[in-house]
Amino acid sequence: MVVIGSGPGGYVAAIRAGQLGMKAAVVEREALGGTCLNWGCIPTKALLKNAEIVSYVRRSEEFGLKFDGFHADYSVAMARSRRVVDRNTRGVRFLLRKNNVDHIVGTGRLAGPNRVAIDPEGTVIEAKNIVIATGARPRSVPSLPVDGERIITSRESIVLTDLPSSMVIVGGGAIGVEFAYVYAMYGVEVTVVELLPRLVPNEDEDISAQLERSFGSHGIKIMTGAAVTGVQTRADGVTGR
């Protein structure tokens, strides 16, 4: 069996195939673990933990504690999140070896029935079963041309070392609200713009209401039922409309 993609769906499928006695291989062009482990679920949870600790320190007097000269260094938090990612990536690599799953570096594409071509070399391998587990990537929006500097996606956000003084987050789903909380705890003036009537619209209304109250207490601005129709990029920032 050949699995194209090594995210949580791909590497787990390959490992299970190995456990069942099949000859299995994973084709991955980037780091093992996919978006979730390297650029999403795992590093954001590490950053959220840091942000939670910062929020407690800022409220320390409520607990009878005082700190003089407190400074929260976001670059250190980001570096810690990358160490967490590296540890998990090495864990996936170990599990693949343990279960006799081959790790093939490259971009896999279907080259015919039971055939997978590995680019850029062009090597072709054959397998009785092929699993496509290529995951997802950030969607581009015509009104928000991503330049990787002023206008960025979650991929660039996860490795920022220097935070801006203010930021607009377009999208109030799970990813958007996670970054909003993290950045706000580190002193960024955050505004969340969500097209639908409430934050995290796929969740229960009670959750949205509680989250919006919590964000309000942290000074996070919320604009629901709103859309960004265009932007103007300047040397010192971005203006949206």
Side-chain angles (χ1 to χ4, degrees):
M1 184 173 81
V2 173
V3 181
I4 304 175
S6 71
Y11 80 76
V12 171
I15 288 172
R16 187 57 179 153
Q19 291 172 341
L20 293 173
M22 300 173 66
K23 182 173 177 56
V26 164
V27 180
E28 175 58 62
R29 64 185 178 189
E30 296 186 346
L32 290 172
T35 296
C36 177
L37 196 156
N38 292 280
W39 311 106
C41 321
I42 301 302
T44 55
K45 299 310 175 289
L47 290 173
L48 283 168
K49 185 61 179 180
N50 272 76
E52 181 185 35
I53 294 171
V54 171
S55 73
Y56 283 144
V57 174
R58 295 196 187 283
R59 297 167 45 210
S60 60
E61 292 191 5
E62 294 181 26
F63 306 102
L65 304 172
K66 290 186 179 181
F67 294 89
D68 294 325
F70 172 70
H71 171 68
D73 189 336
Y74 185 77
S75 65
V76 175
M78 192 281 291
R80 172 182 172 272
S81 76
R82 302 320 297 173
R83 291 196 300 273
V84 171
V85 166
D86 181 64
R87 185 164 61 246
N88 280 270
T89 300
R90 285 187 278 111
V92 172
R93 186 178 297 111
F94 168 78
L95 289 173
L96 292 178
R97 286 199 306 267
K98 178 182 177 182
N99 292 282
N100 299 312
V101 177
D102 293 332
H103 172 208
I104 302 172
V105 179
T107 300
R109 60 180 174 84
L110 298 179
N114 305 107
R115 292 162 61 86
V116 175
I118 314 299
D119 293 330
E121 290 82 4
T123 305
V124 176
I125 57 178
E126 297 186 359
K128 182 178 181 181
N129 301 286
I130 299 171
V131 176
I132 301 174
T134 50
R137 67 188 65 184
R139 179 184 178 184
S140 66
V141 180
S143 60
L144 294 168
V146 175
D147 60 17
E149 296 180 5
R150 297 289 185 184
I151 303 175
I152 60 178
T153 69
S154 58
R155 178 69 174 257
E156 293 84 22
S157 298
I158 206 70
V159 291
L160 282 180
T161 54
D162 297 318
L163 296 182
S165 59
S166 61
M167 180 178 288
V168 174
I169 295 177
V170 181
I175 296 172
V177 298
E178 284 185 333
F179 280 113
Y181 176 75
V182 170
Y183 292 154
M185 292 306 99
Y186 279 87
V188 178
E189 182 182 328
V190 177
T191 301
V192 181
V193 179
E194 168 55 48
L195 181 63
L196 295 178
R198 56 190 176 88
L199 294 181
V200 288
N202 290 329
E203 307 300 332
D204 291 343
E205 291 187 12
D206 289 347
I207 293 175
S208 298
Q210 179 60 44
L211 183 61
E212 289 173 11
R213 284 194 295 270
S214 175
F215 273 20
S217 69
H218 290 304
I220 300 172
K221 299 176 184 177
I222 302 168
M223 298 176 65
T224 53
V228 177
T229 58
V231 293
Q232 180 180 358
T233 304
R234 309 182 310 278
D236 62 343
V238 179
T239 300
R241 61 181 184 275

